[in-house]
Every structure is written in C-alpha cells, then in structure tokens.
Amino acid sequence: HCTERPPAFVCSISYGSYRGGLRHAIHHLKYRDKPQLAVPLGQLLASRMQAEARTFRGLAFDGVVPVPIHPRRSRERGYNQAERIARSLCRTAGLTLERGLLTRVRHTRSQVGLSAKERAENLTGAFAVRSGKNTEGKTFLLIDDVTTTGSTLHECAQALKEAGSAA
C-alpha cells in the first residue's frame, strides 16, 4: 500500500490491533461518552512509544498534534477523543500538546465502512494548519484514536508539510 501511495508521514505505530479490549475501550471513549478512558489509552501509547523508540529513528518532536474533528462532530460528542488521548500521552511522556495547530476545514462523512480509495477521497483537503501558527522546520507526532488505511494521518501530515514542517 505504501509503495503505491507513499504516505506524507515518516512512520506509524499503534498500541495494538483494533479488537478485543482495545476496541471496546476506544468504542466507549468515542461513542459512549467515556472520555476518562483517554487517560489509560494515552499512557499505554506512551509506553508503546518508549518500547519502540528505535522506530522513530531518533526523531525529536517539537509537539504532539491530535487529529482534529470537525466542529459539528465536536459539538455532538462534546470532545475530541484523539486530543484527549494526546493530552494523556503528553503528560506521561513529557511532550508538548499542540492543541489547535491543525483544523478540519470541511466536514467529511464517517470513514467507517469506506474502502481505502473512498477513505482517501473523503479526506482529501479536509485539514489545514491554522493561520498564524508556526510549523517551519518543526517535527510533529500525530495522534489519532484508530488508524485503518493511514489516509487521515497522510492528509494531516500533508497539511503540516505544506505549511513548512519537517516531518
């Protein structure tokens, strides 16, 4: 997949496969109004990052950027689950949360049930760096709750790179 459509991001890791207890926790965080579940999920992700330090090839992050959700979805849910996970990760790992650096500039339909091609098309141009935010030469760690095809991370990384970020 990556050779056909090279991602705009350098590397990707996850805490685990989206099944069993992890799926249950993320589902409850996202759809059952359980934002407190973001704390242990962020801590688990921080421990995974430490265990996989070589995967990051010595990258030092200038900030952690949660994948933004559209304001309409934020009003419905009351919070951004990726931001909550990122906040917990930052507290655990001693990183800086870059809240509001990226914005979702258009509402997209849910990615659930879409093919890889449909996911990519659905998200094209959906993200942008907020005006006035300095990303020049900086390296960011993107955080999302679930990664399936990498389309969301690709589009977020693309927006950051277009605004001058290094990685």
Side-chain angles (χ1 to χ4, degrees):
H1 174 71
C2 291
T3 55
E4 292 172 18
R5 184 176 181 235
F9 53 88
V10 174
C11 64
S12 172
I13 66 163
S14 65
Y15 178 74
S17 295
Y18 186 61
R19 59 181 176 210
L22 185 58
R23 182 182 187 282
H24 182 77
I26 292 170
H27 190 269
H28 277 70
L29 165 66
K30 204 168 175 174
Y31 303 115
R32 304 279 178 153
D33 195 27
K34 302 287 183 191
Q36 66 273 19
L37 289 172
V39 173
L41 289 170
Q43 292 168 341
L44 289 169
L45 190 55
S47 70
R48 175 70 179 199
M49 283 180 59
Q50 290 168 346
E52 294 289 328
R54 71 167 190 242
T55 301
F56 292 102
R57 302 178 191 141
L59 291 175
F61 301 108
D62 294 297
V64 176
V65 178
V67 170
I69 60 176
H70 191 270
R72 184 185 316 165
R73 194 152 290 139
S74 183
R75 283 189 301 275
E76 291 167 2
R77 188 171 292 139
Y79 56 90
N80 176 346
Q81 69 282 356
E83 184 179 314
R84 295 282 179 110
I85 293 169
R87 185 178 299 136
S88 173
L89 171 113
C90 286
R91 272 192 237 121
T92 304
L95 298 170
T96 303
L97 180 65
E98 291 289 344
R99 186 176 183 269
L101 178 69
L102 268 183
T103 185
R104 196 158 198 145
V105 293
R106 65 179 182 79
H107 185 72
T108 57
R109 59 187 177 150
S110 172
Q111 297 282 82
V112 176
L114 298 181
S115 70
K117 183 180 179 195
E118 290 169 328
R119 286 170 182 261
E121 290 171 357
N122 187 40
L123 291 173
T124 300
F127 303 98
V129 171
R130 286 192 193 272
S131 78
K133 297 286 187 175
N134 179 19
T135 62
E136 197 65 40
K138 295 182 179 180
T139 300
F140 297 102
L141 173 64
L142 286 166
I143 300 293
D144 204 0
D145 57 344
V146 176
T147 299
T148 306
T149 63
S151 293
T152 302
L153 295 178
H154 171 79
E155 289 297 325
C156 288
Q158 190 66 39
L160 287 164
K161 283 188 172 184
E162 287 172 4
S165 75

